[in-house]
Amino acid sequence: MTSAVTRCALAALALFQSFIASAEADTYRANLSTIGAVTKNTEDTETTRSPVAGLQVFFKPVNNDPEQAFDQHEFIQRASNLYLAVAPTDIETTTYNTYLSKTTTSNTHLSNTSVSVAYYQGDMFANLGYVKGSGGIKDKDTSSNLGDLQSQSSSYAVGYYLFPLSQISLGVDKTRLSYRPSTIAIFFGKTALDDVTTKTSLTSKTLWHIGQQESLCFELSLRNIRHEDSNTNHNNEADVSLKYYPVPAGYAQLQLTRNQGEDKATIGNTSMLAGGYAFTPRLSLYAAYLNFITSGTKNDNHSVLVAGNYRF
């Protein structure tokens, strides 16, 4: 006969196992993400560091299905959500100052806050986004204020599922960046800047199951880019991305982007190699390497990105 103590212990163990099972699978309502990125140019005159902390909240529980590609749940299940993020960005730039006849280094700090909403209704969906940033530029050696920066970005997109795992969307993203130089910066020849960049994009995405566990995700984006400052430049950009999932919990990705047109600072080719893996149904890690080879100038750059994501 089983004793009362043993029965209590077995009941407690069963309850604990049930709790762990529900915590490791079933559903989740939110994603907590962190991203760290470092970008350097080949002349080693500019370094950008941009960590990101984000929280994605779903309007209804999302099934943590182990048979679905782990980072495609929103796409597959059409899960409406709200995303909030903060992203402080620091840029260290080294230039030759002709007034001082020496090399100087400036630090740019920009604090960004973003909010976006994705809403799915049947085969239709829409995305809205807004980003606000503010900061300034200082001389690294003297801490002198060199001016203020303000940025603002708004975006929207509408799309339709042509098939259960295939969608197409049309979107517009408009970003305004303004710079107001300080008195010291004006003395050294800096002038006020107002840049407006508008991107109109057509994007398609399809997920195929090619085996019992294997799948492929293909994305194609075509963009028309209008950049306005003292001049107006038009560029066209196309990028293609292919993700291969040998198992639903992991993928390898190759992405290629080509930009061409009038803005010499942005024309060129970008390649990205990336990978991600879900170590548990809730915890996943990602890493990526990007290399940008510009055709308009000699200043190429490369980036390294690492990210983590936890679902709860």
Side-chain angles (χ1 to χ4, degrees), residues 54-74:
L55 177 65
Q56 184 181 29
V57 180
F58 295 94
F59 298 162
K60 64 180 181 180
V62 180
N63 292 326
N64 210 353
D65 191 339
E67 295 184 359
Q68 295 178 350
F70 76 98
D71 64 335
Q72 299 291 344
H73 288 176
E74 177 189 335

Side-chain angles (χ1 to χ4, degrees), residues 126-179:
N127 296 308
L128 296 174
Y130 180 78
V131 182
K132 177 69 174 178
S134 62
I137 306 175
K138 290 186 176 182
D139 184 276
K140 184 178 180 180
D141 297 325
T142 64
S143 297
S144 300
N145 179 32
L146 300 179
D148 297 322
L149 286 171
Q150 297 288 331
S151 69
Q152 181 175 296
S153 176
S154 59
S155 62
Y156 62 88
V158 293
Y160 184 78
Y161 278 82
L162 302 172
F163 303 100
L165 295 178
S166 181
Q167 65 175 213
I168 190 169
S169 63
L170 179 66
V172 176
D173 184 309
K174 187 173 185 178
T175 301
R176 179 183 297 273
L177 178 65
S178 62
Y179 167 64

Side-chain angles (χ1 to χ4, degrees), residues 176-180 192-196 228-230:
R176 179 183 297 273
L177 178 65
S178 62
Y179 167 64
R180 296 293 178 264
L193 296 175
D194 282 292
D195 288 359
V196 178
E228 302 170 81
D229 46 23
S230 55

Side-chain angles (χ1 to χ4, degrees), residues 92 105 147 183 187 194 241 262:
E92 184 175 284
T105 301
T183 303
F187 176 78
D194 282 292
S241 168
E262 301 169 341

Side-chain angles (χ1 to χ4, degrees), residues 8 27 47 59 65 67 75 94 98 103 117 120 125 141 147 164 181 189 202 209 214-215 236 258 261 274 300:
C8 289
T27 62
T47 301
F59 298 162
D65 191 339
E67 295 184 359
F75 169 70
T94 302
T98 55
T103 299
V117 176
Y120 298 80
F125 65 93
D141 297 325
L202 179 66
H209 297 296
E214 296 173 284
S215 57
N236 292 312
R258 179 173 178 80
D300 304 337

